[in-house]
Amino acid sequence: MGLMLKKPENVAGSATPAILIGLFVAFGGVLFGYDTGTIGGILEMPYWRSLFSNGYLDPKDHQRQITSSQKSGIVSILSAGTFFGALLASPFGDILGRRYGLIAATAVFTLGVILQTAATAIPMFLAGRFFAGLGVGLISALIPLYQSETAPKWIRGTIVGCYQLAITLGLLIAAIVDNATKNRHDTGSYRIPIAIQFAWAIILIVGMLILPETPRFLIKQGRPEQAARSLSRLRRLDVSHPALIEELAEIEANHQYELSLGKATYVDCVRGTLGKRLATGCLLQALQQLTGINFIFYYGTQFFKNSGISNAFTITMITNVVNVASTFPGLYMVEKWGRRPLLLFGAIGMCVCQFIVAIVGVTSSSVVANKVLIAFVCIYIFFFACSWGPVAWIVTGELFPLKVRAKSISMTTATNWLLNWAIAFSTPYLVDGPEKGYANLHVKVFFIWGSCCFLCIAFVYLMIYETKGLSLEQVDELYSKVDKAWHSNRFVPTVSFQEVRDTTGVEGRGQSLADLESNTYRKRSLNHVDDTLTHEKV
């Protein structure tokens, strides 16, 4: 197999344009990561605490601070916005298109940044967080959609996975900027980290004005000539090249087959194998959040402080560096190992680390124990960043057929953000204490995350299909023919939707894929017999 990721010899054209476009679009993940990463540090900045406090004093340091409920609201309101943004991604992506949908989403995000930058009190800050979240939710669903529809199948996982790499880079940059401004005694302490996001928005909008629309969206809109030009840019092939014509014809034939089965409503998303795929995508995104990763990045600074660790800001920066560095091996392993093995590897590793952190934290509070805690949090981040971080976005981007892809991806992404909100909102109540109404779990919360990681192991084995190396159209065939996830690695595609369309024509409307394939083989055999008899007569 070799160690390098290489374009298959039988693939015509160049993958470079599609790869570069996919990597640029992944830059939108910086908006996602940076916006979610800044808030943890901002909440602990002395000037911000004093300015936004309503007079509440922190019992630990007797300094002005916001209450746990206010903190919960500020952190979680972003996730509430992202939930609704992810649901709106379907009409944005299907009406405006993947490209202009991303531009509009970035404009919504920019409105949120303006409000947060201008805020000097909690109400406007909350409004800004909500609109920024609305934009991030739209972006988080549209970017994997755009990437999966433009990337070559042999490296699609790596390209879509770069979205998660960009998220980790955003988190790291946020930690660095927060650390640089935290001791300022003016509004620049929080306005500088927030206002930097204008730069990310401008870069993404300008780039999307130049990049092409996805050929699959153009086929869905009934614009095959524009789809051919778009695919020509992506593959660096002339529109008349046989390989480009064949790829485009297969996309169009698959879409026509899907349309022959009925309209694409939200109800259709939960029927048959589409329902199974939607359940897989939603559970995958939910479990990604329940691994506890955002506990580290939302409340890590505060958690390390409460654990008696000095320089909590520095430790947060270290965890972010680990997060970025660990994503790189995941981008390689997802195409070498496949989706299922990598998710299993990550789930087992995370589970072990979470329980070690919980047990050490509960049984000891020494300097050595703190070092062990930090070490295993970093090892846990490695397992997450190389597996569940990128692969959750990769798998959900591959699961769905064209007619319901935008709707289904928006729902899976909304599930991610719904759990993100639930964790962000509930964590202060779970961890803080000993005030009445708070669980005061502190480090014991890692028992919850560890138990969820154990569930991840069973989920991957039972529900995740192996889609490495398959085109998005071949994933349809996989789910039509293979009924158990653990048998999916044996699947070999045999259906050509173009051949099915050309052979069965209108007779194939509404038939199952298995029936269509059977009829295609039967007619092919009859045609072969007719050709043989004709040849013998001659």
Side-chain angles (χ1 to χ4, degrees):
M1 180 181 281
L3 293 175
M4 299 300 293
L5 297 177
K6 295 181 180 179
K7 186 183 80 169
E9 294 180 1
N10 62 342
V11 175
S14 172
T16 303
I19 292 171
L20 292 177
I21 287 170
L23 292 178
F24 175 82
V25 174
F27 179 81
V30 173
L31 276 73
F32 176 170
Y34 186 92
D35 195 57
T36 56
T38 51
I39 194 62
I42 288 173
L43 291 178
E44 294 302 314
M45 291 178 179
Y47 184 85
W48 188 94
R49 288 172 52 177
S50 176
L51 179 64
F52 284 80
S53 173
N54 291 330
Y56 172 76
L57 296 179
D58 191 330
K60 296 184 180 70
D61 58 14
H62 304 290
Q63 300 297 314
R64 286 169 64 87
Q65 174 64 290
I66 61 173
T67 65
S68 291
S69 60
Q70 289 173 325
K71 188 182 300 180
S72 171
I74 288 171
V75 174
S76 64
I77 193 70
L78 179 93
S79 301
T82 54
F83 172 75
F84 291 108
L87 290 177
L88 288 171
S90 174
F92 267 65
D94 280 341
I95 296 172
L96 297 178
R98 290 28 169 168
R99 178 169 161 251
Y100 285 114
L102 273 169
I103 292 172
T106 309
V108 173
F109 171 80
T110 304
L111 172 62
V113 174
I114 292 170
L115 293 173
Q116 288 180 84
T117 305
T120 55
I122 289 177
M124 184 180 284
F125 199 80
L126 283 171
R129 292 276 294 167
F130 178 80
F131 281 105
L134 198 65
V136 168
L138 287 162
I139 290 166
S140 65
L142 291 171
I143 285 178
L145 179 61
Y146 185 98
Q147 290 176 309
S148 63
E149 289 189 349
T150 55
K153 64 182 181 181
W154 62 273
I155 200 171
R156 184 179 61 240
T158 298
I159 291 175
V160 179
C162 284
Y163 174 55
Q164 175 67 21
L165 175 62
I167 294 172
T168 65
L169 284 169
L171 288 164
L172 175 60
I173 295 169
I176 292 170
V177 175
D178 280 353
N179 194 52
T181 66
K182 69 179 188 292
N183 292 322
R184 289 178 64 106
H185 297 291
D186 55 28
T187 57
S189 60
Y190 69 93
R191 281 178 170 164
I192 290 172
I194 293 170
I196 283 175
Q197 295 173 103
F198 287 119
W200 315 143
I202 291 168
I203 292 170
L204 188 60
I205 288 175
V206 171
M208 292 310 299
L209 289 171
I210 300 169
L211 300 185
E213 182 55 86
T214 75
R216 285 175 170 87
F217 171 75
L218 294 169
I219 286 292
K220 184 176 182 179
Q221 294 295 106
R223 292 144 64 184
E225 296 83 5
Q226 294 179 42
R229 290 196 293 272
S230 172
L231 194 60
S232 174
R233 286 183 64 183
L234 292 168
R235 303 292 184 261
R236 200 174 284 174
L237 292 169
D238 189 84
V239 291
S240 61
H241 193 283
L244 186 142
I245 294 172
E246 182 180 356
E247 182 176 355
L248 201 63
E250 184 68 6
I251 294 170
E252 187 170 6
N254 173 258
H255 182 52
Q256 289 177 358
Y257 164 71
E258 289 295 330
L259 290 179
S260 75
L261 300 178
K263 293 183 179 180
T265 66
Y266 278 97
V267 175
D268 293 313
C269 294
V270 298
R271 289 175 174 164
T273 65
L274 294 181
K276 180 178 181 178
R277 289 186 250 184
L278 182 63
T280 299
C282 289
L283 286 170
L284 178 61
Q285 292 283 17
L287 286 169
Q288 187 206 50
Q289 290 298 310
L290 290 171
T291 60
I293 190 65
N294 278 325
F295 170 76
I296 300 297
F297 293 113
Y298 281 158
Y299 296 104
T301 304
Q302 179 186 351
F303 172 74
F304 289 127
K305 270 187 178 180
N306 294 342
S307 298
I309 297 169
S310 59
N311 271 329
F313 271 95
T314 304
I315 300 299
T316 301
M317 285 179 59
I318 292 171
T319 59
N320 277 283
V321 170
V322 173
N323 194 24
V324 173
S326 301
T327 305
F328 285 98
L331 300 181
Y332 172 81
M333 291 188 289
V334 73
E335 295 297 354
K336 283 297 180 181
W337 290 11
R339 283 56 162 160
R340 271 174 64 85
L342 187 52
L343 285 172
L344 278 172
F345 167 77
I348 293 169
M350 288 189 296
C351 182
V352 172
C353 290
Q354 297 279 27
F355 281 120
I356 289 175
V357 170
I359 292 167
V360 170
V362 167
T363 57
S364 178
S365 59
S366 65
V367 174
V368 173
N370 284 341
K371 290 180 179 179
V372 171
L373 186 150
I374 294 169
F376 276 94
V377 165
C378 289
I379 296 170
Y380 154 75
I381 291 172
F382 163 78
F383 280 110
F384 175 87
C386 73
S387 59
W388 280 74
V391 179
W393 299 107
I394 293 167
V395 170
T396 52
E398 296 173 336
L399 281 175
F400 307 105
L402 181 58
K403 73 170 185 174
V404 297
R405 188 170 295 141
K407 290 181 176 68
S408 297
I409 289 179
S410 75
M411 286 188 280
T412 60
T413 307
T415 303
N416 180 292
W417 287 113
L418 181 63
L419 268 295
N420 187 301
W421 169 82
I423 290 167
F425 183 80
S426 63
T427 293
Y429 298 101
L430 288 172
V431 177
D432 291 353
E435 295 94 337
K436 184 179 179 181
Y438 297 89
N440 195 27
L441 291 178
H442 194 47
V443 75
K444 292 192 285 292
V445 76
F446 281 88
F447 282 116
I448 296 176
W449 311 139
S451 300
C452 291
C453 289
F454 185 79
L455 290 177
C456 290
I457 299 170
F459 167 76
V460 173
Y461 181 78
L462 294 172
M463 294 194 68
I464 295 295
Y465 281 62
E466 184 54 69
T467 53
K468 178 173 77 78
L470 300 178
S471 71
L472 296 180
E473 289 68 41
Q474 288 168 342
V475 173
D476 276 352
E477 183 185 351
L478 166 67
Y479 273 89
S480 296
K481 292 183 174 180
V482 181
D483 61 346
K484 293 181 175 62
W486 53 92
H487 293 160
S488 60
N489 60 337
R490 307 174 195 167
F491 169 75
V492 177
T494 57
V495 172
S496 164
F497 286 96
Q498 184 183 357
E499 185 179 6
V500 166
R501 180 191 61 184
D502 295 341
T503 305
T504 62
V506 294
E507 300 172 20
R509 290 186 177 275
Q511 294 184 25
S512 70
L513 190 59
D515 290 339
L516 284 171
E517 184 178 17
S518 176
N519 290 338
T520 300
Y521 286 144
R522 181 175 56 81
K523 290 193 174 185
R524 186 195 299 164
S525 300
L526 290 173
N527 290 337
H528 176 72
V529 171
D530 290 342
D531 290 342
T532 302
L533 291 174
T534 302
H535 180 73
E536 288 176 353
K537 287 179 181 180
V538 174

